[in-house]
Structures are given as C-alpha cells and as structure tokens.
C-alpha cells in the first residue's frame, strides 16, 4: 500500500512504464539511477536494458520489495539499492536518471 504521507504512488499501467523506459533511451552501457523504485515496475525493464541500475529508495518496505522482485534472477547482479532520502544522500555516478 502506498504511503501517501511520503508522496508515494505505485505505477501499474504497463503502457506508461513502457513509455517512460523508451523515452529514457537507455543504452546497454548505461548506469541508470532510478529515484523511488517502489515495487520495481519500472526497475525491471531498466535492468533489462542497462549495464546496471541503482535504485534510490526512502521507504525500507519498498527496498525489500524491489530486491525481492529480482532475487534469484540474472537481473539481481545488475541492481544496487541505496536506502535514503534522495535530497540528502550522496548520489553515485550515473549516465541516465529515471523517476516518475
């Protein structure tokens, strides 16, 4: 359940997910920074197209969800999760940023 007090919303429409990922124009050599991955609906296609995806998430519940989403799959090794406030943590190097 989204924590609306944190401004959360969960993107569920596959057409919107596809559009966001397409507009990001990710190359196989790109490191992607995704702010607010939530349950991972955008994260998975980002992982499929990028060299690596770094998910920056504030909510510990969602950190567990996005990790669980790729656990035991080949995409797991391409995912790095940072828990924290995007306005306060140091951002790692990245080529493309995606947020919704």
């Amino acid at each position: 359940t989204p924590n609306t007090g944190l401004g959360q919303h969960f993107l569920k429409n596959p057409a919107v997910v596809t559009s966001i990922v397409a507009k990001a124009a990710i190359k196989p050599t790109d490191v992607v920074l995704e702010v607010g991955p939530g349950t991972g609906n955008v994260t998975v296609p980002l992982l499929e197209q990028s060299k690596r995806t770094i998910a920056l998430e504030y909510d510990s519940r969602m950190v567990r969800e996005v990790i669980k989403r790729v656990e035991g799959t080949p995409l797991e090794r391409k995912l790095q999760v940072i828990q924290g406030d995007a306005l306060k943590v140091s951002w790692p190097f990245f080529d493309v940023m995606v947020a919704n």
Side-chain angles (χ1 to χ4, degrees):
T1 310
N3 182 339
T4 53
L6 295 176
Q8 287 179 341
H9 64 282
F10 295 154
L11 181 56
K12 295 178 181 175
N13 184 326
V16 175
V17 171
T18 301
S19 178
I20 289 170
V21 174
K23 284 178 175 48
I26 296 161
K27 298 185 294 295
T29 54
D30 285 339
V31 173
V32 177
L33 176 64
E34 181 187 13
V35 177
T39 59
N41 290 338
V42 176
T43 311
V44 170
L46 292 176
L47 286 165
E48 290 169 346
Q49 293 190 21
S50 66
K51 177 180 179 183
R52 193 162 56 96
T53 296
I54 303 161
L56 178 52
E57 176 59 60
Y58 181 81
D59 187 341
S60 60
R61 297 174 312 142
M62 294 303 106
V63 167
R64 289 189 300 275
E65 286 297 318
V66 75
I67 291 170
K68 189 167 67 174
R69 185 84 180 256
V70 297
E71 214 167 35
T73 74
L75 298 176
E76 183 178 15
R77 64 178 177 76
K78 295 171 65 174
L79 176 66
Q80 176 186 349
V81 179
I82 299 172
Q83 183 177 351
D85 184 332
L87 298 176
K88 296 179 181 172
V89 300
S90 296
W91 290 4
F93 168 84
F94 64 92
D95 300 298
V96 178
M97 177 188 275
V98 175
N100 73 73

